[in-house]
Amino acid sequence: MNLELLESFGQNYPEDFDGTLDCISIAITCAFNRQGTLLAVGCNDGRIVIWDFLTRGIAKIISAHVHPVCSLSWSRNGKKLLSAATDNTASIWDIVTAECDKSFRFPSPILKVQFHPRDSKQFLVCPMKHPAVLMNISGDHRVVPLDDDSDLNIVASYDRRGKHIYTGNAKGRILVFTSTDLELKASFRVTTGTLNTTAIKSIEFARRGDCFLVNSADRIIRVYESGEVLACSKDGEPEPIQKLQDLVNKLLWKKCCFSGDGEFIVAGSARQHSLYIWEKSVGNLVKILHGTKGELLLDVVWHPVRPIIASISSGLVSIWAQNQVENWSAFAPDFKELDENVEYEERESEFDIEDEDKEKEETKGMEEEDSEVDVTTIEPIQAFVSSDEDEEDQDAVLYLPVSPDIEEPEESAWAIPPEVTEDTQTQEKKRSQPHTDNTPSPKKKKVKTYEVDLPDAPLDEIHPLLNVKKPNEKGQKKSSRPKQAKSSKPDKSKSKGRLDDS
């Protein structure tokens, strides 16, 4: 597939529903790899389902956690996947082998994890009611400084190249630190029309360009330029490029993100399954995608290369894409599409063996096309190359090899060939015996778990995904039902006995 042909000359945003991806389990969060060929979906039973997005098939299922997966992040080359669960653990997974490289245990719930955009040895963790933590795969960690010690509701994100870390608090204050030495470079406050401040819910960066958006509690999405923010330095007052909001319904936004080229912004409503798409340059609303009524939206991601959006609601991943209308006349200028059969009139010299006029035209064209065509050099695909890079990453994992699962093999397929003697059979049995006796399988390796010590972290906090009341109520109902059933059985036997006596 040539990605250069994917660039459409019309609108570059999805318009219609294009099917669902059913992970069997209830999907909670999802993330595309850098090329958009693989989609990782975190489920409520702790599994991570990796979809091959071109074939729309499941490429691999990783039994990652025991508790629900709440956040996912791909490394730059797509070989590693960082996941966080509601049991306060974060793990790094090898995509090809489906094995856990390292695991990190935190004292408080984790709201978000993010790999460094360029260095897969570092990642950012946002614990609940605690400052953001800059982690290293060796287990070392540094706490990102705070502006106000009393405000601990922090959201954080790397910028496009990972040079800076942007943090936002519940008082509308955004701080910009360098990712190397955590030095404060810039700061500003997000204010409403008056001097009132609003809480920062999320910060998202575009894959192309230097823009980032801030989703705040006042239902307004503000788009800033990182260059202007850094130029304003500390206590600056940068003006947002755009302010996006739903003026009619005043919706609160659950998740916002940029398109792959950074020209569009999509925001998912927190009340219902509806997606709003704006054009960043103009700020006008271009499309509203409505899902099934009554569904709550959990996550929204935009494909890195193509105009495709994946949204999660009611446990399913919904895909939104463009209408593909077949227009054959676009490929050949003299091709005509007919609505009904038309009687064709044959030209006089159309089926002649030799056509003198046609031969002259062909020779003219051949003389002009004597230039050499280079078929050896491979030009990098611009969609996969960043603006500061010249070549693609050759080590990137684009697809996963799929091994066939044989549930019930036929006896004839696995029969012993006639050349194998009894001695070789006995030797194979002896070799297989010690493997069957050992309980631990050689494939599983011990995963080193790092305990991350955060002295000021709250210990009694519960992850927002976990609702405490519902399981308790269900447990009480379940425990009360068998008691009633047990008590009702002897009553029935007594009543039977009374009837027999009578």
Side-chain angles (χ1 to χ4, degrees):
M1 182 182 67
N2 192 355
L3 287 171
E4 300 295 333
L5 299 175
L6 284 176
E7 187 176 355
S8 60
F9 297 99
Q11 69 273 11
N12 207 15
Y13 55 87
E15 287 190 318
D16 287 319
F17 179 72
D18 194 28
T20 58
L21 305 179
D22 189 359
C23 300
I24 302 171
S25 307
I26 297 174
I28 295 176
T29 182
C30 62
F32 279 106
N33 65 342
R34 186 167 173 263
Q35 290 79 13
T37 54
L38 298 174
L39 175 68
V41 181
C43 302
N44 69 328
D45 57 357
R47 295 192 303 173
I48 299 173
V49 181
I50 299 175
W51 291 80
D52 190 323
F53 201 70
L54 293 179
T55 61
R56 302 280 176 95
I58 296 177
K60 187 158 291 188
I61 298 177
I62 302 175
S63 299
H65 301 271
V66 181
H67 293 262
V69 180
C70 58
S71 181
L72 291 171
S73 177
W74 288 85
S75 65
R76 184 172 176 82
N77 57 8
K79 292 182 178 180
K80 306 291 181 183
L81 184 65
L82 177 62
S83 66
T86 55
D87 59 348
N88 307 353
T89 59
S91 302
I92 299 175
W93 301 90
D94 191 314
I95 293 301
V96 179
T97 61
E99 292 182 351
C100 181
D101 289 347
K102 291 180 182 178
S103 183
F104 305 87
R105 188 176 297 278
F106 288 80
S108 57
I110 302 171
L111 299 179
K112 176 189 173 183
V113 289
Q114 184 186 7
F115 257 125
H116 191 284
R118 297 296 172 94
D119 186 8
S120 58
K121 294 181 180 179
Q122 295 182 4
F123 59 94
L124 187 66
V125 180
C126 296
M128 189 175 177
K129 293 186 179 179
H130 188 274
V133 181
L134 192 61
M135 291 291 304
N136 196 311
I137 59 171
S138 59
D140 302 329
H141 70 278
R142 292 179 293 166
V143 178
V144 181
L146 286 172
D147 179 52
D148 187 2
D149 294 336
S150 62
D151 191 5
L152 297 174
N153 295 315
I154 302 295
V155 294
S157 176
Y158 280 113
D159 65 354
R160 182 185 159 196
R161 294 190 176 94
K163 293 181 179 178
H164 299 92
I165 297 173
Y166 286 64
T167 65
N169 60 12
K171 295 181 180 178
R173 186 91 170 156
I174 292 180
L175 307 177
V176 184
F177 299 94
T178 57
S179 58
T180 53
D181 52 2
L182 296 180
E183 180 187 352
L184 182 62
K185 283 292 182 183
S187 63
F188 67 97
R189 192 179 295 275
V190 177
T191 57
T192 56
T194 59
L195 296 175
N196 297 328
T197 57
T198 176
I200 307 299
K201 295 182 64 181
S202 65
I203 301 172
E204 299 287 339
F205 280 83
R207 285 171 49 89
R208 301 275 174 182
D210 294 327
C211 293
F212 67 95
L213 64 84
V214 176
N215 180 21
S216 53
D218 63 350
R219 297 171 168 79
I220 299 176
I221 302 168
R222 294 170 175 84
V223 184
Y224 294 90
E225 275 191 2
S226 56
E228 184 183 353
V229 171
L230 293 171
C232 291
S233 188
K234 300 174 186 177
D235 296 327
E237 295 181 358
E239 285 295 324
I241 306 170
Q242 296 291 347
K243 288 185 179 181
L244 311 174
Q245 60 179 326
D246 182 17
L247 296 172
V248 179
N249 299 318
K250 301 289 183 183
L251 291 178
L252 189 68
W253 308 114
K254 176 77 175 176
K255 176 76 185 295
C256 312
C257 63
F258 282 93
S259 61
D261 54 4
E263 295 299 324
F264 294 91
I265 295 169
V266 61
S269 170
R271 297 180 191 170
Q272 55 193 354
H273 188 187
S274 58
L275 306 175
Y276 287 68
I277 302 174
W278 291 275
E279 193 174 355
K280 186 196 72 176
S281 58
V282 186
N284 59 327
L285 183 67
V286 293
K287 189 70 179 178
I288 302 176
L289 302 173
H290 291 289
T292 309
K293 288 185 178 180
E295 294 181 345
L296 289 176
L297 194 69
L298 292 179
D299 200 1
V300 178
V301 289
W302 197 304
H303 194 279
V305 182
R306 305 174 67 183
I308 296 175
I309 293 176
S311 61
I312 294 181
S313 64
S314 67
L316 296 175
V317 182
S318 302
I319 306 298
W320 307 86
Q322 284 183 340
N323 271 335
Q324 299 296 332
V325 180
E326 293 183 352
N327 184 13
W328 296 100
S329 60
F331 297 97
D334 55 348
F335 189 91
K336 293 181 181 179
E337 293 182 354
L338 301 177
D339 296 330
E340 56 184 9
N341 292 336
V342 177
E343 196 171 319
Y344 183 70
E345 294 181 2
E346 178 187 332
R347 296 198 310 272
E348 185 178 350
S349 62
E350 184 174 1
F351 296 104
D352 292 351
I353 298 173
E354 293 181 359
D355 191 354
E356 296 177 358
D357 299 333
K358 196 172 184 181
E359 284 179 2
K360 289 178 182 178
E361 289 176 0
E362 286 181 358
T363 52
K364 284 181 181 178
M366 290 296 290
E367 289 174 359
E368 293 175 357
E369 295 178 359
D370 282 342
S371 58
E372 295 181 1
V373 179
D374 186 9
V375 294
T376 55
T377 56
I378 302 173
E379 294 183 359
I381 300 171
Q382 294 302 318
F384 292 165
V385 178
S386 183
S387 58
D388 58 345
E389 293 175 333
D390 296 330
E391 296 181 358
E392 296 178 44
D393 188 2
Q394 300 298 328
D395 297 332
V397 175
L398 298 180
Y399 307 101
L400 288 177
V402 180
S403 56
D405 297 330
I406 303 173
E407 295 179 357
E408 296 178 358
E410 297 179 0
E411 294 180 0
S412 59
W414 297 93
I416 302 171
E419 298 177 359
V420 180
T421 59
E422 293 181 359
D423 296 332
T424 55
Q425 290 182 27
T426 52
Q427 287 176 3
E428 287 178 358
K429 285 181 181 178
K430 287 178 182 179
R431 289 176 186 172
S432 61
Q433 280 175 1
H435 289 290
T436 53
D437 294 337
N438 294 333
T439 49
S441 60
K443 292 182 180 178
K444 291 182 180 179
K445 62 176 183 179
K446 290 184 179 180
V447 181
K448 189 173 182 181
T449 304
Y450 295 90
E451 295 288 340
V452 181
D453 185 20
L454 301 176
D456 299 331
L459 302 176
D460 299 331
E461 293 294 333
I462 299 167
H463 200 280
L465 278 176
L466 302 174
N467 197 342
V468 190
K469 294 180 181 179
K470 289 183 179 179
N472 288 341
E473 289 174 359
K474 287 179 182 178
Q476 288 174 4
K477 288 178 182 178
K478 286 179 181 178
S479 60
S480 61
R481 283 175 184 171
K483 285 181 182 178
Q484 291 175 0
K486 286 179 182 177
S487 60
S488 62
K489 284 181 182 177
D491 292 336
K492 287 180 182 178
S493 62
K494 285 178 185 178
S495 61
K496 283 180 182 178
R498 288 172 186 171
L499 289 169
D500 294 337
D501 293 340
S502 62

